[in-house]
Amino acid sequence: MSKEIKRIEYELTSLIRKAVFRDQSERKIGILERSAYLLMRQLDEYGPSRLKELAEAFKLDISTLSRQAAALESKELIQRFSDPSDGRVSLFDLTELGKEKLAVDSRMRLEWYEGLLEGWSDEEKKLFGELLVRMNGAFDE
């Protein structure tokens, strides 16, 4: 293995560990749990979705997504309704309360990342974003 690959592996592993630790600590960013935030962001970006579509998007078992959705539904952050094209199927979407909570959480996270990357040039931030998109895409292949 090249030293570049070893460095990437180590840095990604460290980054993931630090992100998970922060998300589970008292220094957590935002008010929503990571899984709730991601599910709500998905609905905000792509609109009403079936449970199966959500599970596929996150590479999770349907039962796991079902539990997450039920928890958000009980907090009235998302709602379930019949798919107009097939009444046997349910769709999930954000409620107004969910949109409000997501907006607050999103703003807090964006402000935190803005502070974290304060010393970076616009070009560095742009390149880093592009490389993250490319890396995430590689995981989907």
Side-chain angles (χ1 to χ4, degrees):
M1 280 302 133
S2 71
K3 68 179 182 175
E4 290 82 7
I5 295 298
K6 287 180 181 178
R7 180 178 181 194
I8 290 167
E9 182 276 331
Y10 177 77
E11 293 299 333
L12 276 174
T13 302
S14 296
L15 177 68
I16 292 165
R17 180 188 54 78
K18 290 174 184 179
V20 169
F21 173 77
R22 179 172 284 276
D23 195 51
Q24 296 172 349
S25 76
E26 66 280 351
R27 295 175 47 212
K28 169 181 137 164
I29 306 160
I31 54 176
L32 298 169
E33 296 297 324
R34 179 174 25 104
S35 60
Y37 178 76
L38 289 170
L39 177 55
M40 292 169 70
R41 281 283 314 267
Q42 180 80 8
L43 291 172
D44 188 51
E45 187 165 338
Y46 296 102
S49 302
R50 295 177 177 198
L51 195 60
K52 183 178 179 184
E53 294 168 336
L54 294 168
E56 288 172 359
F58 293 113
K59 310 287 189 254
L60 291 173
D61 185 78
I62 287 181
S63 63
T64 301
L65 236 302
S66 180
R67 283 190 300 277
Q68 290 176 2
L72 292 175
E73 200 174 8
S74 72
K75 295 175 184 174
E76 299 181 351
L77 299 175
I78 67 171
Q79 60 190 342
R80 178 191 319 237
F81 57 93
S82 293
D83 184 340
S85 67
D86 183 352
R88 300 169 297 167
V89 177
S90 292
L91 293 175
F92 291 89
D93 199 9
L94 291 171
T95 62
E96 286 306 312
L97 176 62
K99 289 176 186 178
E100 291 170 17
K101 298 270 188 195
L102 179 61
V104 168
D105 211 74
S106 219
R107 188 185 76 248
M108 292 171 76
R109 290 169 182 263
L110 291 171
E111 288 171 357
W112 185 80
Y113 278 104
E114 189 173 331
L116 187 67
L117 301 173
E118 188 175 358
W120 294 37
S121 71
D122 289 344
E123 187 58 37
E124 287 171 321
K125 290 182 228 178
K126 180 180 180 211
L127 177 60
F128 186 55
E130 290 169 354
L131 292 173
L132 284 172
V133 167
R134 187 173 173 187
M135 184 69 172
N136 273 323
F139 275 100
D140 292 336
E141 294 173 358

